[in-house]
Amino acid sequence: MRISSKGDYGLRALFDLAQRYGEGPIQSDDIATRQGIPVNYLNQLLITMRRAGLIDSLRGPQGGHMLARAPETITLREVLTVLEGPLLPDEPGRETSPPAIPEDHALIDELWAELRERIERLLAETTLDDLCQRKRQRSGSVMYYI
Amino acid sequence: MRISSKGDYGLRALFDLAQRYGEGPIQSDDIATRQGIPVNYLNQLLITMRRAGLIDSLRGPQGGHMLARAPETITLREVLTVLEGPLLPDEPGRETSPPAIPEDHALIDELWAELRERIERLLAETTLDDLCQRKRQRSGSVMYYI
DNA sequence: CGTAATGTAGAGTAAACTACTCAAGAAATC
DNA sequence: GATTTCTTGAGTAGTTTACTCTACATTACG
């Protein structure tokens, strides 16, 4: 139960794109340099995110990547689900030995389902735009002291 | 970001022990059979949980395992932390290429930390005793219809 | 039209982790 | 001292992680 580099790097890349939303395509090289991500690996993640409909990509000179939707419509939940998969595989399928007390089995299964829903609801509360606002607020309060 | 068999099996085993809290040592064979867990694997997990102070174990005939503390003092947070490790390694240490925009890096780092705390708080809300009560309520409401 | 700049697709890989099994040993009870 | 139970550590096949690399497709520009 941990966030892997996919979720970490992927979110950092989307955050980079969110800050430049509306400025046209951003190249993966630039994202990689700014955010400190291995560019080859990032390219893979970008493809995954494009296929999932999070970003649009354009080839050729002046090509690059951009958010497919406005930053306030992209939640952490969607990002992490795309990159990390669900908290538990939908139907676990751990059927090695038969469960002798099916009611206990069902109760724990339901607990996992409930937990997944609660965590996903929590993740859905934060959007890419929230992250941008946080950064703005932060740099803003620093400004006062310069 | 998923619950592995360690967390799943481990919780099922502890739930089994919680339902028999105060009845003395319970053998791993019995737990394994009741909950449908491969016994060799379960033995490993039980050792991990004993070393973490979740259970006490006794060898010899009539030996077995028992919760080290009352079920209402053992939370999902503790169980999953012991068995699955933290949501993110404490200091990620992904320092492959240097982060060109350190403020972005810090912001995402803090987001992960905040998220971890929020999820752990959520997990801390449920104890083993809560699971036992749920089961009791459930079988109770079934009783009315028999 | 050609060439350079970009993303795309898929293969490859070392290391770690998962989900187990197994055998030898230690401790407690009878 | 035999048996029951947990303990320790090794082993292993398969999957995932965290990448790299090569070849290819597409587009823009001159």
Side-chain angles (χ1 to χ4, degrees):
Chain A
M1 184 173 165
R2 60 179 279 270
I3 303 289
S4 73
S5 67
K6 287 185 207 170
D8 187 33
Y9 289 157
L11 178 64
R12 290 177 197 278
L14 291 176
F15 178 43
D16 193 278
L17 292 181
Q19 290 179 73
R20 291 162 185 79
Y21 184 61
E23 299 179 19
I26 311 290
Q27 288 112 26
S28 64
D29 262 344
D30 293 346
I31 305 174
T33 310
R34 274 194 295 262
Q35 306 299 332
I37 305 173
V39 68
N40 286 323
Y41 195 37
L42 175 61
N43 280 333
Q44 277 194 180
L45 301 178
L46 288 169
I47 292 173
T48 301
M49 294 193 284
R50 180 182 50 80
R51 292 210 248 243
L54 288 172
I55 61 175
D56 291 327
S57 307
L58 296 172
R59 307 197 223 199
Q62 316 317 321
H65 310 270
M66 47 206 292
L67 293 187
R69 291 174 274 135
E72 56 267 29
T73 68
I74 300 180
T75 65
L76 236 54
R77 175 189 183 282
E78 192 173 0
V79 174
L80 289 182
T81 301
V82 163
L83 293 164
E84 303 272 352
L87 188 65
L88 271 182
D90 286 319
E91 285 303 312
R94 278 194 259 280
E95 307 273 340
T96 41
S97 44
I101 306 195
E103 32 191 319
D104 283 14
H105 200 270
L107 194 143
I108 301 293
D109 276 355
E110 284 163 43
L111 175 69
W112 293 137
E114 181 192 321
L115 224 53
R116 177 171 64 193
E117 205 185 302
R118 295 230 276 161
I119 291 177
E120 287 184 352
R121 207 176 308 145
L122 192 153
L123 293 174
E125 286 173 21
T126 305
T127 69
L128 291 182
D129 191 54
D130 293 330
L131 299 182
C132 293
Q133 278 183 265
R134 261 192 224 198
K135 185 178 173 185
R136 263 180 258 124
Q137 276 177 11
R138 194 168 300 196
S139 65
S141 59
V142 167
M143 295 295 262
Y144 286 120
Y145 292 90
I146 294 177
Chain B
M1 186 172 165
R2 60 181 279 269
I3 302 289
S4 73
S5 69
K6 287 185 206 171
D8 187 33
Y9 289 158
L11 179 64
R12 289 177 199 278
L14 290 176
F15 179 44
D16 193 278
L17 292 181
Q19 289 180 73
R20 289 160 187 82
Y21 184 63
E23 299 179 18
I26 311 290
Q27 288 112 27
S28 65
D29 262 344
D30 293 347
I31 305 174
T33 310
R34 274 195 296 261
Q35 306 300 332
I37 306 173
V39 68
N40 286 322
Y41 195 38
L42 175 61
N43 281 332
Q44 277 194 179
L45 302 179
L46 289 169
I47 291 172
T48 301
M49 294 193 283
R50 179 181 50 80
R51 294 209 249 243
L54 287 172
I55 60 174
D56 292 325
S57 306
L58 294 171
R59 308 196 222 199
Q62 317 314 321
H65 310 269
M66 48 207 291
L67 293 187
R69 291 175 274 133
E72 56 266 30
T73 69
I74 300 180
T75 66
L76 237 54
R77 174 188 184 281
E78 192 173 0
V79 174
L80 289 182
T81 301
V82 163
L83 292 164
E84 302 274 352
L87 189 65
L88 269 182
D90 287 318
E91 286 303 314
R94 279 194 260 277
E95 308 273 340
T96 41
S97 45
I101 305 195
E103 34 193 316
D104 282 16
H105 200 269
L107 194 143
I108 302 292
D109 276 355
E110 285 163 42
L111 174 70
W112 293 137
E114 181 191 322
L115 223 55
R116 176 172 63 194
E117 205 184 303
R118 295 229 278 161
I119 291 177
E120 288 185 351
R121 207 176 306 144
L122 192 154
L123 293 174
E125 286 173 21
T126 305
T127 68
L128 292 182
D129 191 54
D130 292 332
L131 299 182
C132 292
Q133 278 183 266
R134 262 191 223 198
K135 186 178 173 185
R136 261 180 259 126
Q137 276 177 12
R138 194 167 299 196
S139 65
S141 59
V142 168
M143 295 295 261
Y144 285 121
Y145 293 89
I146 292 177

